[in-house]
Amino acid sequence: MINPWARWLANNPTNRFNLATKTGWDAFVNTAPRAPLHALTRAEMARLTADELADYNEARAVWHANPAAVKTSQLTAAFGVIDQVMASNRRDGDRLRGAVVIDAAPALGKTTIATRYAREFHRAAYRRYGPVTSQGHQRLPVAFIPLSAGITLKGLNQKILRFYGHPNTDRASTSRLQDMAVDFVASCETQLIVIDDLHFIDFKDRNGVEVSNHLKGLANEMPVTFIYVGVRLREKRFFDEGLIGEDAIYAQTSRRATRAEVSPFTISTPDGFRAWVSLLSALETHIRLADAATGMLTSQARELHHRTQGHIGSLTALLDRACHLAIATGEEALTPRILATVAVDNAAELASRA
């Protein structure tokens, strides 16, 4: 007989979505939230068999690694900017739409903001218009295109077509690939395209300039809104298209794109401290440890900020590892001793030492 924790794991596995394909994106959009996982007391754990305890701890590991996205002030502000820009998404096809640039340092939740917004948009479009277009094609309201290092103009077109499932993109010319990409976007009535990891493009390099110009060309040909996501794009001169000095004023991207900055949490002001504590309070409710208690994280707010510098990616990684240690050591709570032993990412560690 399968124990309940093994059954929970079978029904709530780690979802290995490949968001760069329409199949993976569709699974991400339509997968239901995990079933609730209830924390056992120490007495209840003591009554489990060795296999049951191992499965229960594995279920907790999956649960702790996948907290629900918290509606932080940063996420709310970014959604507000995207909503404003998306107002032009209703324009007819002969009119240009604006673009959003989610720009920030690493580990601040940029991709999470973009994918969560895009998922909500995708679901709303399905609800309103159905999964099939009037021409009988699969409706794909959103396309998610992650870039890679050294991306070229042809490579970008290939990534777009691979998202839509085109079987052969290796032999076609660059111009032909672009035409096919435009056709797929039109046929599937895509309205929003997320371009992730845009910082891989060097906008001062020849290939980077070509890709930048190509993105502008796609914006002219495709009746969609683009959301660009990347690290320190302003410093990389994305908005200036690699131009310098007086030439920078002629950059079209700077006029077409609206920047949505994502900042780390700060505790130097009362409002900032309250926002940080509110985040910790929300994350506390997700933890399934036998001795977990209200205030377990909020009482250590300053130390947690010191360890992570307010970067949500560093914080969630720290909490994943802390929960693992709490279970492995039998501590069953995120005590100061447990948190002090967690190995954090290199950037957070160097900054906390400084």
PDB file of all heavy atoms in Angstrom, residues 246-274:
ATOM      1  N   GLU A 246      25.931  62.433 -28.509  1.00  0.00           N
ATOM      2  CA  GLU A 246      24.741  63.041 -29.101  1.00  0.00           C
ATOM      3  C   GLU A 246      23.927  62.054 -29.927  1.00  0.00           C
ATOM      4  O   GLU A 246      22.721  62.214 -30.096  1.00  0.00           O
ATOM      5  CB  GLU A 246      25.161  64.230 -29.976  1.00  0.00           C
ATOM      6  CG  GLU A 246      25.779  65.388 -29.187  1.00  0.00           C
ATOM      7  CD  GLU A 246      26.153  66.546 -30.084  1.00  0.00           C
ATOM      8  OE1 GLU A 246      25.976  66.410 -31.317  1.00  0.00           O
ATOM      9  OE2 GLU A 246      26.600  67.581 -29.571  1.00  0.00           O
ATOM     10  N   ASP A 247      24.595  61.017 -30.463  1.00  0.00           N
ATOM     11  CA  ASP A 247      23.869  60.038 -31.277  1.00  0.00           C
ATOM     12  C   ASP A 247      22.811  59.289 -30.477  1.00  0.00           C
ATOM     13  O   ASP A 247      21.848  58.772 -31.046  1.00  0.00           O
ATOM     14  CB  ASP A 247      24.851  59.018 -31.873  1.00  0.00           C
ATOM     15  CG  ASP A 247      25.752  59.637 -32.931  1.00  0.00           C
ATOM     16  OD1 ASP A 247      25.360  60.683 -33.489  1.00  0.00           O
ATOM     17  OD2 ASP A 247      26.830  59.078 -33.189  1.00  0.00           O
ATOM     18  N   ALA A 248      22.985  59.204 -29.165  1.00  0.00           N
ATOM     19  CA  ALA A 248      22.063  58.431 -28.332  1.00  0.00           C
ATOM     20  C   ALA A 248      20.643  58.983 -28.364  1.00  0.00           C
ATOM     21  O   ALA A 248      19.685  58.243 -28.142  1.00  0.00           O
ATOM     22  CB  ALA A 248      22.569  58.380 -26.895  1.00  0.00           C
ATOM     23  N   ILE A 249      20.503  60.264 -28.661  1.00  0.00           N
ATOM     24  CA  ILE A 249      19.159  60.847 -28.670  1.00  0.00           C
ATOM     25  C   ILE A 249      18.327  60.311 -29.839  1.00  0.00           C
ATOM     26  O   ILE A 249      17.111  60.470 -29.859  1.00  0.00           O
ATOM     27  CB  ILE A 249      19.201  62.392 -28.728  1.00  0.00           C
ATOM     28  CG1 ILE A 249      19.809  62.874 -30.050  1.00  0.00           C
ATOM     29  CG2 ILE A 249      19.946  62.948 -27.542  1.00  0.00           C
ATOM     30  CD1 ILE A 249      19.731  64.379 -30.241  1.00  0.00           C
ATOM     31  N   TYR A 250      18.988  59.672 -30.817  1.00  0.00           N
ATOM     32  CA  TYR A 250      18.264  59.148 -31.966  1.00  0.00           C
ATOM     33  C   TYR A 250      17.838  57.696 -31.768  1.00  0.00           C
ATOM     34  O   TYR A 250      17.269  57.085 -32.669  1.00  0.00           O
ATOM     35  CB  TYR A 250      19.134  59.251 -33.230  1.00  0.00           C
ATOM     36  CG  TYR A 250      19.500  60.675 -33.576  1.00  0.00           C
ATOM     37  CD1 TYR A 250      20.792  61.142 -33.413  1.00  0.00           C
ATOM     38  CD2 TYR A 250      18.535  61.567 -34.049  1.00  0.00           C
ATOM     39  CE1 TYR A 250      21.129  62.459 -33.711  1.00  0.00           C
ATOM     40  CE2 TYR A 250      18.855  62.888 -34.343  1.00  0.00           C
ATOM     41  CZ  TYR A 250      20.157  63.323 -34.177  1.00  0.00           C
ATOM     42  OH  TYR A 250      20.490  64.625 -34.459  1.00  0.00           O
ATOM     43  N   ALA A 251      18.124  57.141 -30.609  1.00  0.00           N
ATOM     44  CA  ALA A 251      17.766  55.755 -30.342  1.00  0.00           C
ATOM     45  C   ALA A 251      16.253  55.622 -30.201  1.00  0.00           C
ATOM     46  O   ALA A 251      15.642  56.228 -29.318  1.00  0.00           O
ATOM     47  CB  ALA A 251      18.461  55.267 -29.082  1.00  0.00           C
ATOM     48  N   GLN A 252      15.642  54.815 -31.062  1.00  0.00           N
ATOM     49  CA  GLN A 252      14.191  54.629 -31.026  1.00  0.00           C
ATOM     50  C   GLN A 252      13.748  53.850 -29.793  1.00  0.00           C
ATOM     51  O   GLN A 252      12.671  54.098 -29.254  1.00  0.00           O
ATOM     52  CB  GLN A 252      13.735  53.888 -32.288  1.00  0.00           C
ATOM     53  CG  GLN A 252      13.849  54.695 -33.571  1.00  0.00           C
ATOM     54  CD  GLN A 252      13.398  53.880 -34.767  1.00  0.00           C
ATOM     55  OE1 GLN A 252      13.740  52.707 -34.906  1.00  0.00           O
ATOM     56  NE2 GLN A 252      12.629  54.500 -35.647  1.00  0.00           N
ATOM     57  N   THR A 253      14.591  52.926 -29.353  1.00  0.00           N
ATOM     58  CA  THR A 253      14.209  52.078 -28.221  1.00  0.00           C
ATOM     59  C   THR A 253      13.886  52.907 -26.991  1.00  0.00           C
ATOM     60  O   THR A 253      12.966  52.591 -26.233  1.00  0.00           O
ATOM     61  CB  THR A 253      15.338  51.080 -27.906  1.00  0.00           C
ATOM     62  OG1 THR A 253      15.592  50.291 -29.061  1.00  0.00           O
ATOM     63  CG2 THR A 253      14.966  50.186 -26.733  1.00  0.00           C
ATOM     64  N   SER A 254      14.652  53.968 -26.768  1.00  0.00           N
ATOM     65  CA  SER A 254      14.444  54.790 -25.582  1.00  0.00           C
ATOM     66  C   SER A 254      13.066  55.437 -25.579  1.00  0.00           C
ATOM     67  O   SER A 254      12.496  55.698 -24.517  1.00  0.00           O
ATOM     68  CB  SER A 254      15.544  55.858 -25.487  1.00  0.00           C
ATOM     69  OG  SER A 254      15.535  56.464 -24.224  1.00  0.00           O
ATOM     70  N   ARG A 255      12.520  55.705 -26.757  1.00  0.00           N
ATOM     71  CA  ARG A 255      11.176  56.296 -26.853  1.00  0.00           C
ATOM     72  C   ARG A 255      10.076  55.241 -26.833  1.00  0.00           C
ATOM     73  O   ARG A 255       8.967  55.507 -26.391  1.00  0.00           O
ATOM     74  CB  ARG A 255      11.070  57.106 -28.154  1.00  0.00           C
ATOM     75  CG  ARG A 255      11.865  58.403 -28.134  1.00  0.00           C
ATOM     76  CD  ARG A 255      11.269  59.399 -27.156  1.00  0.00           C
ATOM     77  NE  ARG A 255      12.021  60.655 -27.132  1.00  0.00           N
ATOM     78  CZ  ARG A 255      11.752  61.664 -26.320  1.00  0.00           C
ATOM     79  NH1 ARG A 255      10.753  61.560 -25.457  1.00  0.00           N
ATOM     80  NH2 ARG A 255      12.475  62.764 -26.350  1.00  0.00           N
ATOM     81  N   ARG A 256      10.389  54.068 -27.297  1.00  0.00           N
ATOM     82  CA  ARG A 256       9.365  53.029 -27.396  1.00  0.00           C
ATOM     83  C   ARG A 256       9.233  52.196 -26.118  1.00  0.00           C
ATOM     84  O   ARG A 256       8.190  51.593 -25.886  1.00  0.00           O
ATOM     85  CB  ARG A 256       9.680  52.085 -28.562  1.00  0.00           C
ATOM     86  CG  ARG A 256       9.590  52.728 -29.936  1.00  0.00           C
ATOM     87  CD  ARG A 256       9.871  51.693 -31.014  1.00  0.00           C
ATOM     88  NE  ARG A 256       9.754  52.262 -32.357  1.00  0.00           N
ATOM     89  CZ  ARG A 256       9.948  51.571 -33.487  1.00  0.00           C
ATOM     90  NH1 ARG A 256      10.257  50.270 -33.402  1.00  0.00           N
ATOM     91  NH2 ARG A 256       9.823  52.152 -34.661  1.00  0.00           N
ATOM     92  N   ALA A 257      10.311  52.100 -25.346  1.00  0.00           N
ATOM     93  CA  ALA A 257      10.331  51.189 -24.204  1.00  0.00           C
ATOM     94  C   ALA A 257      10.188  51.942 -22.888  1.00  0.00           C
ATOM     95  O   ALA A 257      10.701  53.049 -22.728  1.00  0.00           O
ATOM     96  CB  ALA A 257      11.634  50.389 -24.204  1.00  0.00           C
ATOM     97  N   THR A 258       9.484  51.320 -21.945  1.00  0.00           N
ATOM     98  CA  THR A 258       9.292  51.875 -20.610  1.00  0.00           C
ATOM     99  C   THR A 258       9.980  50.963 -19.604  1.00  0.00           C
ATOM    100  O   THR A 258       9.735  49.755 -19.586  1.00  0.00           O
ATOM    101  CB  THR A 258       7.799  51.992 -20.279  1.00  0.00           C
ATOM    102  OG1 THR A 258       7.165  52.828 -21.256  1.00  0.00           O
ATOM    103  CG2 THR A 258       7.599  52.589 -18.894  1.00  0.00           C
ATOM    104  N   ARG A 259      10.818  51.542 -18.770  1.00  0.00           N
ATOM    105  CA  ARG A 259      11.603  50.752 -17.831  1.00  0.00           C
ATOM    106  C   ARG A 259      10.823  50.504 -16.539  1.00  0.00           C
ATOM    107  O   ARG A 259      10.276  51.435 -15.943  1.00  0.00           O
ATOM    108  CB  ARG A 259      12.909  51.489 -17.522  1.00  0.00           C
ATOM    109  CG  ARG A 259      13.888  50.733 -16.639  1.00  0.00           C
ATOM    110  CD  ARG A 259      15.230  51.459 -16.624  1.00  0.00           C
ATOM    111  NE  ARG A 259      16.227  50.778 -15.804  1.00  0.00           N
ATOM    112  CZ  ARG A 259      16.548  51.123 -14.562  1.00  0.00           C
ATOM    113  NH1 ARG A 259      15.926  52.157 -13.984  1.00  0.00           N
ATOM    114  NH2 ARG A 259      17.460  50.456 -13.895  1.00  0.00           N
ATOM    115  N   ALA A 260      10.784  49.253 -16.134  1.00  0.00           N
ATOM    116  CA  ALA A 260      10.210  48.881 -14.842  1.00  0.00           C
ATOM    117  C   ALA A 260      11.358  48.384 -13.977  1.00  0.00           C
ATOM    118  O   ALA A 260      11.810  47.249 -14.116  1.00  0.00           O
ATOM    119  CB  ALA A 260       9.144  47.803 -15.008  1.00  0.00           C
ATOM    120  N   GLU A 261      11.836  49.235 -13.106  1.00  0.00           N
ATOM    121  CA  GLU A 261      12.979  48.885 -12.275  1.00  0.00           C
ATOM    122  C   GLU A 261      12.525  48.033 -11.091  1.00  0.00           C
ATOM    123  O   GLU A 261      11.466  48.270 -10.514  1.00  0.00           O
ATOM    124  CB  GLU A 261      13.676  50.141 -11.769  1.00  0.00           C
ATOM    125  CG  GLU A 261      14.915  49.863 -10.941  1.00  0.00           C
ATOM    126  CD  GLU A 261      15.587  51.134 -10.450  1.00  0.00           C
ATOM    127  OE1 GLU A 261      14.981  52.215 -10.598  1.00  0.00           O
ATOM    128  OE2 GLU A 261      16.696  51.039  -9.920  1.00  0.00           O
ATOM    129  N   VAL A 262      13.315  47.037 -10.752  1.00  0.00           N
ATOM    130  CA  VAL A 262      13.049  46.201  -9.587  1.00  0.00           C
ATOM    131  C   VAL A 262      14.207  46.392  -8.611  1.00  0.00           C
ATOM    132  O   VAL A 262      15.364  46.131  -8.951  1.00  0.00           O
ATOM    133  CB  VAL A 262      12.918  44.717  -9.968  1.00  0.00           C
ATOM    134  CG1 VAL A 262      12.555  43.885  -8.741  1.00  0.00           C
ATOM    135  CG2 VAL A 262      11.873  44.539 -11.064  1.00  0.00           C
ATOM    136  N   SER A 263      13.897  46.850  -7.422  1.00  0.00           N
ATOM    137  CA  SER A 263      14.924  47.166  -6.437  1.00  0.00           C
ATOM    138  C   SER A 263      14.925  46.136  -5.308  1.00  0.00           C
ATOM    139  O   SER A 263      13.888  45.525  -5.015  1.00  0.00           O
ATOM    140  CB  SER A 263      14.684  48.555  -5.836  1.00  0.00           C
ATOM    141  OG  SER A 263      14.695  49.543  -6.851  1.00  0.00           O
ATOM    142  N   PRO A 264      16.041  45.957  -4.649  1.00  0.00           N
ATOM    143  CA  PRO A 264      16.059  45.074  -3.472  1.00  0.00           C
ATOM    144  C   PRO A 264      15.288  45.698  -2.317  1.00  0.00           C
ATOM    145  O   PRO A 264      15.055  46.916  -2.292  1.00  0.00           O
ATOM    146  CB  PRO A 264      17.554  44.952  -3.152  1.00  0.00           C
ATOM    147  CG  PRO A 264      18.181  46.169  -3.735  1.00  0.00           C
ATOM    148  CD  PRO A 264      17.375  46.504  -4.958  1.00  0.00           C
ATOM    149  N   PHE A 265      14.902  44.890  -1.361  1.00  0.00           N
ATOM    150  CA  PHE A 265      14.260  45.401  -0.157  1.00  0.00           C
ATOM    151  C   PHE A 265      15.287  46.168   0.669  1.00  0.00           C
ATOM    152  O   PHE A 265      16.448  45.801   0.753  1.00  0.00           O
ATOM    153  CB  PHE A 265      13.701  44.246   0.680  1.00  0.00           C
ATOM    154  CG  PHE A 265      12.443  43.658   0.146  1.00  0.00           C
ATOM    155  CD1 PHE A 265      12.497  42.657  -0.820  1.00  0.00           C
ATOM    156  CD2 PHE A 265      11.204  44.090   0.589  1.00  0.00           C
ATOM    157  CE1 PHE A 265      11.339  42.104  -1.321  1.00  0.00           C
ATOM    158  CE2 PHE A 265      10.037  43.546   0.088  1.00  0.00           C
ATOM    159  CZ  PHE A 265      10.105  42.542  -0.868  1.00  0.00           C
ATOM    160  N   THR A 266      14.828  47.240   1.262  1.00  0.00           N
ATOM    161  CA  THR A 266      15.677  48.011   2.155  1.00  0.00           C
ATOM    162  C   THR A 266      15.009  48.094   3.515  1.00  0.00           C
ATOM    163  O   THR A 266      13.770  48.089   3.606  1.00  0.00           O
ATOM    164  CB  THR A 266      15.923  49.431   1.610  1.00  0.00           C
ATOM    165  OG1 THR A 266      16.714  50.168   2.548  1.00  0.00           O
ATOM    166  CG2 THR A 266      14.622  50.162   1.358  1.00  0.00           C
ATOM    167  N   ILE A 267      15.807  48.149   4.567  1.00  0.00           N
ATOM    168  CA  ILE A 267      15.234  48.282   5.912  1.00  0.00           C
ATOM    169  C   ILE A 267      15.687  49.591   6.558  1.00  0.00           C
ATOM    170  O   ILE A 267      15.576  49.757   7.767  1.00  0.00           O
ATOM    171  CB  ILE A 267      15.597  47.085   6.803  1.00  0.00           C
ATOM    172  CG1 ILE A 267      17.116  46.949   6.961  1.00  0.00           C
ATOM    173  CG2 ILE A 267      14.996  45.807   6.243  1.00  0.00           C
ATOM    174  CD1 ILE A 267      17.518  45.884   7.986  1.00  0.00           C
ATOM    175  N   SER A 268      16.193  50.507   5.751  1.00  0.00           N
ATOM    176  CA  SER A 268      16.699  51.777   6.284  1.00  0.00           C
ATOM    177  C   SER A 268      15.592  52.787   6.544  1.00  0.00           C
ATOM    178  O   SER A 268      15.833  53.830   7.145  1.00  0.00           O
ATOM    179  CB  SER A 268      17.732  52.373   5.319  1.00  0.00           C
ATOM    180  OG  SER A 268      17.146  52.603   4.047  1.00  0.00           O
ATOM    181  N   THR A 269      14.372  52.491   6.083  1.00  0.00           N
ATOM    182  CA  THR A 269      13.233  53.368   6.335  1.00  0.00           C
ATOM    183  C   THR A 269      12.131  52.552   7.003  1.00  0.00           C
ATOM    184  O   THR A 269      12.075  51.313   6.834  1.00  0.00           O
ATOM    185  CB  THR A 269      12.689  53.973   5.026  1.00  0.00           C
ATOM    186  OG1 THR A 269      12.152  52.903   4.207  1.00  0.00           O
ATOM    187  CG2 THR A 269      13.789  54.702   4.259  1.00  0.00           C
ATOM    188  N   PRO A 270      11.224  53.199   7.738  1.00  0.00           N
ATOM    189  CA  PRO A 270      10.126  52.455   8.366  1.00  0.00           C
ATOM    190  C   PRO A 270       9.275  51.692   7.350  1.00  0.00           C
ATOM    191  O   PRO A 270       8.913  50.533   7.591  1.00  0.00           O
ATOM    192  CB  PRO A 270       9.320  53.548   9.075  1.00  0.00           C
ATOM    193  CG  PRO A 270      10.319  54.636   9.347  1.00  0.00           C
ATOM    194  CD  PRO A 270      11.253  54.624   8.175  1.00  0.00           C
ATOM    195  N   ASP A 271       8.958  52.336   6.210  1.00  0.00           N
ATOM    196  CA  ASP A 271       8.152  51.652   5.195  1.00  0.00           C
ATOM    197  C   ASP A 271       8.895  50.458   4.614  1.00  0.00           C
ATOM    198  O   ASP A 271       8.305  49.394   4.379  1.00  0.00           O
ATOM    199  CB  ASP A 271       7.778  52.625   4.070  1.00  0.00           C
ATOM    200  CG  ASP A 271       6.716  53.630   4.493  1.00  0.00           C
ATOM    201  OD1 ASP A 271       6.055  53.395   5.532  1.00  0.00           O
ATOM    202  OD2 ASP A 271       6.542  54.642   3.790  1.00  0.00           O
ATOM    203  N   GLY A 272      10.190  50.629   4.378  1.00  0.00           N
ATOM    204  CA  GLY A 272      10.977  49.535   3.842  1.00  0.00           C
ATOM    205  C   GLY A 272      11.066  48.372   4.804  1.00  0.00           C
ATOM    206  O   GLY A 272      10.960  47.201   4.409  1.00  0.00           O
ATOM    207  N   PHE A 273      11.244  48.679   6.074  1.00  0.00           N
ATOM    208  CA  PHE A 273      11.330  47.618   7.086  1.00  0.00           C
ATOM    209  C   PHE A 273      10.003  46.872   7.187  1.00  0.00           C
ATOM    210  O   PHE A 273       9.980  45.638   7.286  1.00  0.00           O
ATOM    211  CB  PHE A 273      11.723  48.206   8.432  1.00  0.00           C
ATOM    212  CG  PHE A 273      11.995  47.172   9.484  1.00  0.00           C
ATOM    213  CD1 PHE A 273      13.187  46.466   9.499  1.00  0.00           C
ATOM    214  CD2 PHE A 273      11.055  46.894  10.472  1.00  0.00           C
ATOM    215  CE1 PHE A 273      13.439  45.499  10.466  1.00  0.00           C
ATOM    216  CE2 PHE A 273      11.297  45.934  11.437  1.00  0.00           C
ATOM    217  CZ  PHE A 273      12.496  45.239  11.430  1.00  0.00           C
ATOM    218  N   ARG A 274       8.899  47.612   7.149  1.00  0.00           N
ATOM    219  CA  ARG A 274       7.583  46.969   7.217  1.00  0.00           C
ATOM    220  C   ARG A 274       7.371  46.039   6.019  1.00  0.00           C
ATOM    221  O   ARG A 274       6.821  44.943   6.165  1.00  0.00           O
ATOM    222  CB  ARG A 274       6.475  48.017   7.284  1.00  0.00           C
ATOM    223  CG  ARG A 274       6.246  48.593   8.671  1.00  0.00           C
ATOM    224  CD  ARG A 274       4.950  49.375   8.742  1.00  0.00           C
ATOM    225  NE  ARG A 274       5.014  50.576   7.913  1.00  0.00           N
ATOM    226  CZ  ARG A 274       5.433  51.763   8.347  1.00  0.00           C
ATOM    227  NH1 ARG A 274       5.826  51.892   9.616  1.00  0.00           N
ATOM    228  NH2 ARG A 274       5.456  52.809   7.554  1.00  0.00           N
TER     229      ARG A 274
END
